[in-house]
Amino acid sequence: MDKSFLQKELDGPWLECTDERLAHEDIEKLDCALLIRYFEEEKNQEYFRLHRPGQAEAETFPVGTPEEDRQLYETVCAQADLVGFGRYRMAYGYHWSDWNTAVVPLRWRLRQASADAPLFLAADVFWFVPEQQGLVLTRECFTINIQMRSGTLLVSKMRYPAKENHPHYIRHWHRGAWTDATTLEIPANISDLAVEALRISTRQWSGIYPSITWARHGKRAVLAFATHPFDWNITVFRSFLGDAPYKRLFPREQKDNFHPLCTYLGIHPTKSLRRAYAKNPYAVLWYLLLKGWEVEDLNLIQRFYDFDRDFVGIPFSEFRWVDGAVQIPQENSAHVDVPALRHYLHWIRQNKNEHAMTNELYRLEQKGITQEMMDTMQQFAQYGERLPLPLRWRLLKHGLTREVHDLISEAVMDLQSGLRNVEIAYTPEEEALEYQIGAYRFLLVRQTRELLRIGGEMRNCVAGYRSKVLRKESIIMTARTEDGYAICIELDGRHRLLQAYGPWNRPLSGDALLACWKWVAQGGLPVAFDHLAPVDLSAAEDWDIQPLHPREMLDGKTVQ
């Protein structure tokens, strides 16, 4: 096999190249161009930039109709040997260290001299690194070499910038495998060809042509088959079990991994689970999780066997097997409070039945958990039996609706009113987050009783955050104008923006949105959720910005 693939259409498929020069010439000897589509939040607009190595400045083109964009791409393709197309989002308000690099493929190549020879898979790419003073644009070649007989897997290393060493981070390089360090994905048709070649190679040295029962594509499929050709399903359990148990239990040549896995996890391997594992190995995690949550009816558990992406938004890659149980980190990438979710589901089972509990989990798995739902579950877990009985029955009957959220928030404010008021202490870095931005005054909550007032006036559930604020898990701030509270903000313990909403939890708009973006930029805050709409900040260029606690006052500890 000796194939090369090029992209001939804007966002089109990767097709086999029949031009000998374009298919085999060194990438440095070809005239290459990069057409990258930008969305720049500061300007609130999209446009194309055309880059060429050695070119001082990029040409800029407005994004037009699909037909105009296609014609632009065809024009560029007619003027260059190879053209890479990619997208890039320039997010306003982020640190320099939060700008992401872009890796854009120009050409894919697959080589194999014979069925018993190593498979060579290569991507010739543009490596695109934006800087404050410009950009770095280089051509790189990423490769994977796989010899199935010997089990040799070589992944080319690449240089990527460390983000810790501001302001010269671009000049400090680390080494890492491109399969892990970039978002570059192998197109499905190319990865399928590579896997098929590896299956033939496996038959050449083992006499067995491995069957594939779980559909996988991309670089994870290629690497999974190379490491476990007779059962690539088992590779999803490597991080879950840990390297040492994984390597001990599942040698490369082993053909039956399901039964050793079940024995190690203490599972009685039913036929239904065996069939489910063949089509989706994450079915084993669902079985373990629901059994750990005391679901006994196997028919109810089997309903979840087809879900193979995540658990209510939490990637399966974050699950771990610890002390004989599935462990899901409390600080997970989906920001789901797992104990609060479990408390809510068990309460449903206690007051209804197991079927109702799994129905609610199934619905949440399908539709996802919003922040409003999470707030309701957290407040319910904290106050539970102290909430009025009619309100609890409403939650049981209607579920996690907005109406139930608002009613629970009001009930929590009543319960909080009798608690002792507590002063909240902040670090100098947190004090420095207070700003006057135009007509908006961004202030920290100084006392727990303020949470009641904010919740009452803004009609939200911030009063229920009292415990989280005192434990320093959350930092609550508000932005006020002469008319009262305009924005309610939650930061986590690492000062990431989790929430920023107006009264009644409405998304920010108008001047409030402008002010919030400018405050985020001024404080250099990362945004954990993409719930702030893009905005053109040019309308706020003349706004006055003043820190309410100058740095010299903070260093001298004279802030009152």
Side-chain angles (χ1 to χ4, degrees):
M1 180 168 58
D2 187 359
K3 297 178 182 290
S4 295
F5 299 85
L6 301 181
Q7 200 171 25
K8 292 295 187 181
E9 298 176 16
L10 189 67
D11 267 343
W14 287 84
L15 303 176
E16 187 173 352
C17 176
T18 56
D19 186 306
E20 283 294 313
R21 187 176 76 90
L22 298 184
H24 301 292
E25 185 65 87
D26 289 343
I27 195 69
E28 291 80 8
K29 296 180 181 179
L30 294 173
D31 178 21
C32 300
L34 170 63
L35 187 67
I36 196 158
R37 183 167 178 163
Y38 270 79
F39 178 80
E40 189 165 337
E41 292 180 354
E42 184 175 7
K43 297 180 179 179
N44 194 29
Q45 65 184 32
E46 281 191 296
Y47 53 91
F48 290 106
R49 275 185 175 171
L50 178 61
H51 299 270
R52 291 177 183 268
Q55 184 175 330
E57 293 186 4
E59 297 179 63
T60 303
F61 305 91
V63 170
T65 65
E67 178 61 24
E68 290 171 339
D69 295 345
R70 184 186 63 80
Q71 290 178 0
L72 171 63
Y73 186 75
E74 291 178 353
T75 300
V76 175
C77 287
Q79 298 172 355
D81 293 326
L82 300 180
V83 179
F85 171 73
R87 285 184 170 84
Y88 187 78
R89 186 179 183 90
M90 183 69 76
Y92 178 81
Y94 280 50
H95 277 304
W96 54 270
S97 60
D98 290 316
W99 291 349
N100 294 321
T101 57
V103 178
V104 180
L106 292 160
R107 176 177 64 181
W108 288 94
R109 290 174 289 155
L110 273 173
R111 304 267 199 282
Q112 192 177 29
S114 67
D116 202 36
L119 176 72
F120 172 83
L121 190 156
D124 297 303
V125 306
F126 266 131
W127 176 242
F128 175 78
V129 184
E131 288 187 290
Q132 288 174 313
Q133 304 302 321
L135 59 89
V136 174
L137 182 64
T138 59
R139 279 172 287 202
E140 299 274 358
C141 181
F142 297 162
T143 63
I144 300 177
N145 281 275
I146 303 170
Q147 168 56 269
M148 293 302 295
R149 181 180 292 274
S150 64
T152 303
L153 171 65
L154 300 175
V155 180
S156 70
K157 301 295 182 178
M158 48 148 290
R159 301 188 304 171
Y160 65 100
K163 296 181 178 181
E164 307 89 77
N165 302 309
H166 179 67
H168 304 298
Y169 81 102
I170 200 66
R171 296 168 184 84
H172 294 260
W173 300 87
H174 288 220
R175 302 288 287 181
W178 69 264
T179 52
D180 298 323
T182 78
T183 57
L184 179 65
E185 186 54 271
I186 302 174
N189 64 318
I190 297 173
S191 69
D192 290 348
L193 272 176
V195 169
E196 180 58 26
L198 297 178
R199 293 173 77 187
I200 295 172
S201 293
T202 302
R203 181 174 60 189
Q204 184 77 11
W205 67 267
S206 71
I208 299 174
Y209 181 69
S211 60
I212 292 177
T213 56
W214 180 37
R216 302 187 79 179
H217 309 281
K219 62 188 175 188
R220 293 188 182 279
V222 174
L223 298 176
F225 191 92
T227 54
H228 279 83
F230 301 109
D231 178 18
W232 68 0
N233 295 26
I234 199 63
T235 57
V236 305
F237 292 96
R238 182 161 194 152
S239 61
F240 177 69
L241 300 176
D243 276 348
Y246 178 83
K247 291 177 180 178
R248 183 178 73 253
L249 290 167
F250 312 116
R252 182 172 183 262
E253 294 78 14
Q254 185 163 279
K255 298 172 181 62
D256 177 17
N257 292 312
F258 175 73
H259 287 91
L261 175 66
C262 289
T263 300
Y264 184 75
L265 298 175
I267 295 175
H268 177 67
T270 63
K271 290 182 179 179
S272 62
L273 185 59
R274 179 68 182 90
R275 289 193 298 268
Y277 169 84
K279 295 182 179 180
N280 171 28
Y282 292 115
V284 174
L285 294 185
W286 278 108
Y287 179 91
L288 286 170
L289 179 69
L290 294 176
K291 278 291 187 179
W293 284 16
E294 302 169 10
V295 177
E296 297 298 332
D297 190 335
L298 187 59
N299 292 318
L300 298 178
I301 296 176
Q302 289 176 11
R303 297 177 62 201
F304 295 86
Y305 284 170
D306 291 334
F307 292 121
D308 61 355
R309 292 191 303 272
D310 53 49
F311 168 69
V312 292
I314 307 172
F316 286 122
S317 59
E318 297 182 20
F319 285 42
R320 296 293 181 270
W321 183 248
V322 180
D323 297 330
V326 178
Q327 183 183 78
I328 307 174
Q330 178 63 16
E331 285 201 15
N332 51 74
S333 59
H335 299 274
V336 172
D337 188 332
V338 179
L341 170 64
R342 182 172 182 174
H343 175 85
Y344 168 65
L345 293 174
H346 280 210
W347 175 76
I348 292 176
R349 181 177 59 191
Q350 179 184 354
N351 288 275
K352 286 187 174 180
N353 51 49
E354 197 171 78
H355 191 270
M357 168 189 171
T358 53
N359 273 348
E360 179 69 352
L361 177 59
Y362 193 89
R363 186 181 69 84
L364 295 175
E365 175 65 25
Q366 282 188 312
K367 297 185 177 180
I369 298 178
T370 66
Q371 185 61 45
E372 189 174 80
M373 292 177 178
M374 198 71 259
D375 288 341
T376 301
M377 286 188 282
Q378 287 176 325
Q379 291 184 103
F380 180 72
Q382 185 174 356
Y383 294 96
E385 298 298 320
R386 296 162 61 190
L387 295 172
L389 182 60
L391 180 51
R392 282 179 274 147
W393 277 112
R394 184 183 290 269
L395 173 62
L396 192 64
K397 180 179 180 180
H398 299 289
L400 302 169
T401 64
R402 169 162 289 187
E403 180 186 13
V404 170
H405 167 273
D406 294 344
L407 291 172
I408 288 181
S409 299
E410 292 178 5
V412 168
M413 282 193 289
D414 291 338
L415 293 171
Q416 291 275 19
S417 61
L419 295 179
R420 180 174 61 90
N421 183 45
V422 178
E423 296 281 343
I424 304 170
Y426 295 102
T427 65
E429 290 73 22
E430 291 161 354
E431 297 278 1
L433 295 173
E434 295 195 321
Y435 278 91
Q436 178 80 40
I437 298 180
Y440 293 81
R441 192 173 178 85
F442 288 81
L443 297 170
L444 294 158
V445 171
R446 299 287 175 172
Q447 301 175 340
T448 55
R449 66 186 175 196
E450 287 184 49
L451 297 172
L452 294 172
R453 184 167 65 250
I454 297 166
E457 293 190 23
M458 298 197 72
R459 310 302 293 175
N460 63 26
C461 63
V462 74
Y465 282 63
R466 183 179 191 274
S467 298
K468 294 176 68 176
V469 168
L470 293 177
R471 292 195 302 265
K472 301 298 285 187
E473 295 174 5
S474 292
I475 297 171
I476 302 298
M477 298 188 67
T478 60
R480 311 177 199 176
T481 66
E482 292 180 353
D483 297 325
Y485 293 109
I487 309 172
C488 188
I489 295 166
E490 181 195 3
L491 307 177
D492 68 7
R494 288 183 283 173
H495 301 171
R496 294 180 302 171
L497 179 67
L498 297 183
Q499 300 187 70
Y501 292 109
W504 297 95
N505 282 330
R506 294 192 182 100
L508 298 181
S509 61
D511 285 352
L513 181 61
L514 285 170
C516 193
W517 268 123
K518 291 184 79 70
W519 174 75
V520 165
Q522 199 67 29
L525 301 173
V527 180
F529 290 114
D530 189 21
H531 66 263
L532 288 179
V535 66
D536 182 4
L537 288 176
S538 61
E541 288 179 352
D542 58 345
W543 285 14
D544 186 42
I545 300 177
Q546 294 293 334
L548 298 181
H549 302 300
R551 175 57 56 184
E552 57 269 17
M553 294 178 64
L554 293 172
D555 294 340
K557 298 181 179 179
T558 58
V559 176
Q560 298 298 316

